[in-house]
Amino acid sequence: MTSFEERATAIADAGYNVFNLSARDVLIDLLTDSGTGAMSRDQWAAIQHGDESYAGSPSWFIFRDAVTELFPFRHVIPTHQGRAAERILFSVIGGPGHVVPSNTHFDTTRANVEFTGAEAVDLVIAEGRDPTNLHPFKGNLDTVALDALITTRGRDKVPLVMVTVTNNSAGGQPVSLENLRQVRAVCDKHRIPLFLDACRFAENAWFIREREKGQGGRDVADIVREMASLADGMTMSAKKDPLANIGGWLACNDDALAESCRNMLILTEGFPTYGGLAGRDLEAIAQGIRESVSHDYLRYRIQSTAYLGEALHRSGVPVFMPIGGHAVYLDAHGLLPHIPPLEYPGQSLAVALFEQGGIRGCEIGTVMFGLQPDGSEHAATMELVRLAIPRRTYTQSHIDYVIEVCQAVAEQASSLRGYRIVEQSPQLRHFTARFEPLR
Ligand SMILES: Cc1ncc(COP(=O)(O)O)c(C=O)c1O
């Protein structure tokens, strides 16, 4: 435990950026669900089975088979985490003049697209930008806008279409099978490949099972395979639904693309049968993939996220509705309407949650998305603070404490002030920027 005064000193020393805190000063860490979950007994057992041969390790074949059981793409390329898959893919197919549409690019995806000189365009449906709208699939991509974008820019300028399941930057909201089929139809019409950013494929499939007409009795693994069958490839962070602490992969059906990506992989990640991972990591991921589609696990996972979100909603704290799969997103704009976007209401809320109760969340707003490639700064579409729930880690009483702290911060909302940035990097500034409070 820490006192308010200790936390106020820690966050000031961290330049008011929760990423700069020492994790020892954090009481409940909801910064991310990425790599922060607890591995199961069977994953730890699988680690003992790891084989560290440089090339062609048995652990590689176990990993590859677990991936293709759900995602039967012709080529699977292991990487040390999701952004490595993104960097390799976009360095091969991106570049100046190209445009990559998505429902919403996650921060690392957008940065890797833009780093090549290409443009990243978000085309989530209008309901997905409204925190109060109760549409069951707010992660859906606007297919009319997609068709218009491809027609205007020309198909040779669009190397692929990306769909993020679930949509992490916009409320952790799912994408329906119906929408994936419609996106596929637009891609077929223009002969453009469709890729999934599939980090939370199992949670997305669970929502399809729960919410989509005709999907109720299906096995989640079958739904995942159908999602994969609609795509030509995927990028993946194994730190999310596959329940591992590190890892990722890139997969596709296109032989020429796979060859170029493997060449890039060898340059910076490692040989194509380990891709920057130890054999033991490959085994832990393979076991995690199998556990990720368990119905009992997914029911518990989605209900425990909803437990936090619905309690906050009932007590009048503005949250992005409906509650997403891996996180509850506080609506900082709704809670702090007196702080303009360029004074970072999400940052102010994230700092207040830490000072009040040692809870670490993550701003997903103008700090994360406001800085443009030309150096200008625009308000983001939404000002959110994500409370991401690590998998199989916290108990209901930890979450009850989070609810109390959020309520206490909401009661003082009108006294919170904005921030200004005093130091920042040109890409992904939110990880390292330093701030000062405005008086
Ligand atoms: C939707 C999405 N895509 C990509 C990534 C990047 O994955 P990694 O952190 O493993 O590089 C993340 C990580 O948070 C994510 O949520």
Side-chain angles (χ1 to χ4, degrees), residues 32-34 80-86 104-109 164-169 197-200 235-240 246-248 326 386:
T32 176
D33 63 322
S34 180
H80 81 277
Q81 63 183 83
R83 71 197 68 186
E86 294 165 356
T104 312
H105 291 273
F106 191 59
D107 60 352
T108 57
T109 327
T164 312
V165 294
T166 57
N167 199 15
N168 186 13
S169 303
D197 175 346
C199 296
R200 299 178 182 84
T235 56
M236 184 70 197
S237 168
K239 300 170 74 174
K240 280 78 173 182
I246 196 68
H326 66 295
R386 185 187 68 183

Side-chain angles (χ1 to χ4, degrees), residues 55 59 84 101 113 133 141 151 169 204 207 224 241 293 359 436:
S59 300
V113 169
N133 192 294
L141 194 150
T151 307
S169 303
N204 197 90
F207 280 122
V224 174
D241 276 359
V293 290
I359 293 169
E436 262 176 21

Side-chain angles (χ1 to χ4, degrees), residues 177 205 208-209 215 218-227:
L177 269 181
I208 287 174
R209 186 177 192 272
Q215 302 300 321
R218 283 184 80 183
D219 183 19
V220 163
D222 277 346
I223 298 176
V224 174
R225 278 187 281 271
E226 185 171 349
M227 289 160 58

